[in-house]
């Protein structure tokens, strides 16, 4: 499964839409995706969304699409 993770890079700052970033992550489940983020980053995660096949196809059309590996 592919997950889209919305996060703030600096955990000490208050979340703002203007500073929200995203990354794509492949994991078997939502708990595993959460675990990977927690173990490998210091990000302030706002939301993790599981992408449907249709959504993955849509996201792949943009040049910013890249699956993050840790």
């Amino acid at each position: 499964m592919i997950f889209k993770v919305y996060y703030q890079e600096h955990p000490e700052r208050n979340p703002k839409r203007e500073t929200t970033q995203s990354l794509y992550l492949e994991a078997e489940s939502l708990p595993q995706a959460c675990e990977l983020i927690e173990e490998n980053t210091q990000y302030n995660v706002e939301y993790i969304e599981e992408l449907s096949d249709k959504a993955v196809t849509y996201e792949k059309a943009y040049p910013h699409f890249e699956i993050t590996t840790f």
Side-chain angles (χ1 to χ4, degrees):
M1 291 181 261
I2 305 294
F3 294 89
K4 187 172 184 178
V5 180
Y6 298 90
Y7 67 94
Q8 298 290 321
E9 193 167 1
H10 304 286
E12 69 279 355
R13 295 184 187 164
N14 290 329
K16 294 181 187 175
R17 181 181 302 167
E18 295 82 12
T19 58
T20 297
Q21 299 180 46
S22 63
L23 62 85
Y24 302 93
L25 180 66
E26 190 167 7
E28 293 181 16
S29 64
L30 180 59
Q32 184 187 31
C34 293
E35 191 175 300
L36 285 169
I37 292 294
E38 189 174 302
E39 290 176 355
N40 296 292
T41 71
Q42 295 294 318
Y43 296 155
N44 181 8
V45 175
E46 294 178 22
Y47 185 71
I48 300 177
E49 171 184 22
E50 181 182 344
L51 298 179
S52 66
D53 291 339
K54 186 175 181 179
V56 171
T57 301
Y58 177 80
E59 296 283 343
K60 282 182 178 179
Y62 292 94
H64 68 276
F65 183 84
E66 181 180 327
I67 295 179
T68 302
T69 56
F70 297 109

